[in-house]
Amino acid sequence: MKDELKYLTGFDNEFSSEDERCPGALPIGQNNPQKCPYGLYAEQLSGTSFTAPRSRNKRSWLYRIKPSVVHEPFLPIDRPSNLDYKWDAATPTPNQLRWKPFEVPGRQAAEIDFVDGLHTICGAGEFRGRRGVAVHVYLCNASMKDKAVCNSDGDFLLVPQLGALLITTEFGKIRCEPNEICVIQQGMRFNVAVFGPSRGYILEVFDDHFQLPELGPIGANGLANPRDFQTPVAWYEDRRIDYKIVCKYHGKLFAAKQDHSPFDVVAWHGNYVPYKYDLDKFMVVNTVSFDHCDPSIFTVLTCPSAKPGTAAADFVIFPPRWSVQEHTFRPPYYHRNCMSEFMGLIKGQYEAKEENFQPGGASLHSIMTPHGPDARCFETASNSELKPERVADGTQAFMFETSYSLAVTEWAANRSDKLDRDYYKCWQPLEKRFVRNANPR
């Protein structure tokens, strides 16, 4: 399946695609003909208001066997869920937080699919006013069976850490491996198949959609290049079957039954699409003289807020690269930030915290909470020879950075049993080094 899938390339493009089994399925010269080819229905999926500026207007036209309106009424799913937007349930804390790897259900455990395996760690804001973010993990061991999910509240950015995902969308199929990301935008229906125990992270945004960051003085090329983003080609199935559509709306899950597969889109065109990106294709920009560039140079995608120059959320990575700075403490410096920083580790060892920050775990440094390298890292980097060296080979750490002040859920604080109560101890061995009469040179 991995080698069979085909993709369209580019970010923010106007795409057109039709399943090769139905040539000519895409209407020519108009969006909504009186009669569509093959007896299909035309349906528009809008990701922005109709009157958004042309440069920011997002919409796609789908040509499907049955319109998505053909379903029974949605009813609340009446069972416990760890999807949680109660930001006041746990006592707020300004402390540095770190979680050990979140537990994945094993092959012999009861079947848990992607939807049932969603667990919210932290977040802020609210979806009704379209302002805010949420951070989740998914912990599952089974594929979704005759079930699709759509998020009416915002966009999902998926970061697989353990196990590949085969994601079937209304636009086609995407295979997303660890060290790749996939964005499923608001309102798109999708199904997730897994190949064993699977774990990953999710950044959910309510404000807007993800876009590439501006490059400024960097110029025309660099960071995540548009040509490396991949969107699936049209693929459909024509199945008459009892199918369940799960809708996340106002932070709650609802389900509706219908008698056909929702993945019956024979052709489509537009610029509101799902997409994936391989993190190995990120072109790192870094200093070649002294000191640090700000970590914003590692931004893959950003979701803007209403405040100019301030992101509702950034997705940032710290990939393998060369470190050559002279006269410089090379690991991340000690820092307090007006943004919240949630970090995860896909693989390897993060340079500033080589111990106890593990793949599948996470950390949260809230607004103005001090953080930085642990004592061992500081000691090593302060005394190492400053020669050109490779950094982070075999490692991929990432950060969800947001201007919102994140609240931790009750599950993350208590019921997960993964919160590292000893995290603060990694800084305690830092010693006083001040010598009043020393020569500063």
Side-chain angles (χ1 to χ4, degrees):
M1 175 62 72
K2 181 179 179 180
D3 295 331
E4 294 174 358
L5 297 183
K6 297 178 181 179
Y7 300 94
L8 306 167
T9 58
F11 189 87
D12 217 16
N13 288 11
E14 286 285 343
F15 294 110
S16 296
S17 184
E18 58 186 22
D19 192 303
E20 59 187 13
R21 292 170 289 176
C22 295
L26 199 63
I28 302 299
Q30 66 178 121
N31 296 320
N32 189 24
Q34 184 181 28
K35 291 185 178 180
C36 293
Y38 295 95
L40 299 172
Y41 289 88
E43 178 179 290
Q44 184 175 221
L45 178 62
S46 297
T48 58
S49 65
F50 296 139
T51 54
R54 182 181 288 265
S55 63
R56 296 292 301 140
N57 207 296
K58 305 294 180 188
R59 53 80 188 101
S60 287
W61 281 90
L62 313 177
Y63 301 93
R64 59 194 319 150
I65 296 172
K66 277 192 173 183
S68 58
V69 72
V70 183
H71 62 78
E72 297 180 12
F74 281 99
L75 300 174
I77 295 179
D78 188 19
R79 68 169 181 271
S81 171
N82 288 308
L83 197 65
D84 184 6
Y85 298 87
K86 301 182 182 71
W87 307 135
D88 295 325
T91 302
T93 175
N95 289 317
Q96 303 91 351
L97 301 177
R98 181 169 66 190
W99 289 269
K100 300 172 185 177
F102 297 102
E103 200 73 32
V104 182
R107 293 182 182 272
Q108 306 304 317
E111 289 192 349
I112 298 175
D113 67 19
F114 174 84
V115 175
D116 295 333
L118 290 172
H119 297 69
T120 307
I121 299 176
C122 56
E126 54 93 25
F127 18 75
R128 297 177 185 88
R130 300 301 309 279
R131 292 182 65 254
V133 300
V135 175
H136 317 278
V137 289
Y138 63 84
L139 309 167
C140 59
N141 62 355
S143 299
M144 295 169 60
K145 297 175 181 177
D146 297 329
K147 180 166 74 173
V149 60
C150 78
N151 183 2
S152 294
D153 296 327
D155 290 8
F156 276 159
L157 187 156
L158 309 180
V159 185
Q161 184 273 318
L162 176 66
L165 306 179
L166 178 59
I167 306 171
T168 302
T169 77
E170 295 170 277
F171 297 80
K173 291 177 177 286
I174 297 173
R175 184 180 173 103
C176 190
E177 304 270 354
N179 212 47
E180 295 180 325
I181 61 170
C182 179
V183 173
I184 307 292
Q185 304 197 71
Q186 183 184 19
M188 297 177 179
R189 296 179 176 182
F190 65 102
N191 170 287
V192 176
V194 298
F195 305 93
S198 301
R199 175 174 57 205
Y201 309 85
I202 301 176
L203 172 59
E204 181 181 14
V205 294
F206 308 137
D207 294 67
D208 204 332
H209 303 297
F210 289 103
Q211 60 190 53
L212 293 175
E214 301 295 342
L215 294 180
I218 293 174
N221 307 289
L223 308 188
N225 289 309
R227 65 178 296 188
D228 295 323
F229 287 81
Q230 296 180 302
T231 289
V233 298
W235 176 89
Y236 77 94
E237 61 181 8
D238 183 10
R239 289 199 298 153
R240 188 173 180 85
I241 189 172
D242 291 334
Y243 214 98
K244 182 188 290 185
I245 306 296
V246 176
C247 178
K248 187 173 82 66
Y249 179 74
H250 285 200
K252 305 292 184 182
L253 295 180
F254 300 81
K257 296 178 182 179
Q258 61 184 48
D259 64 0
H260 62 283
S261 168
F263 306 118
D264 64 349
V265 177
V266 179
W268 61 265
H269 78 87
N271 63 356
Y272 190 56
V273 296
Y275 54 88
K276 77 166 187 171
Y277 174 74
D278 182 348
L279 300 180
D280 278 340
K281 294 182 177 178
F282 186 82
M283 196 195 96
V284 178
V285 173
N286 210 347
T287 179
V288 293
S289 55
F290 59 87
D291 284 349
H292 283 263
C293 299
D294 293 325
S296 49
I297 61 170
F298 298 113
T299 302
V300 179
L301 291 169
T302 185
C303 176
S305 72
K307 186 177 181 180
T310 303
D314 286 330
F315 174 65
V316 179
I317 62 173
F318 303 100
R321 60 199 183 275
W322 281 98
S323 182
V324 299
Q325 301 101 309
E326 299 175 338
H327 315 296
T328 299
F329 179 80
R330 289 178 176 176
Y333 43 79
Y334 295 103
H335 186 49
R336 288 179 293 164
N337 195 353
C338 62
M339 309 281 276
S340 297
E341 301 179 8
F342 176 93
M343 285 197 65
L345 187 60
I346 298 172
K347 59 181 179 178
Q349 292 182 315
Y350 179 53
E351 58 189 295
K353 303 262 189 345
E354 292 190 358
E355 295 182 358
N356 298 320
F357 183 50
Q358 302 172 50
S363 68
L364 174 63
H365 301 137
S366 299
I367 287 177
M368 292 305 172
T369 294
H371 54 282
D374 60 28
R376 180 178 176 181
C377 175
F378 180 85
E379 186 66 30
T380 300
S382 297
N383 296 286
S384 62
E385 181 183 355
L386 293 181
K387 58 184 180 180
E389 61 179 339
R390 291 287 297 173
V391 175
D393 279 336
T395 293
Q396 191 67 266
F398 71 88
M399 181 167 66
F400 299 153
E401 185 176 65
T402 174
S403 55
Y404 292 104
S405 184
L406 300 180
V408 174
T409 63
E410 198 277 331
W411 177 83
N414 299 305
R415 289 188 288 113
S416 71
D417 198 31
K418 294 298 179 183
L419 190 62
D420 184 354
R421 308 289 179 181
D422 294 330
Y423 183 29
Y424 74 98
K425 293 181 180 179
C426 74
W427 292 288
Q428 301 312 303
L430 288 167
E431 298 178 351
K432 177 181 176 180
R433 294 169 177 267
F434 177 69
V435 180
R436 181 177 178 181
N437 297 321
N439 186 336
R441 300 293 179 185

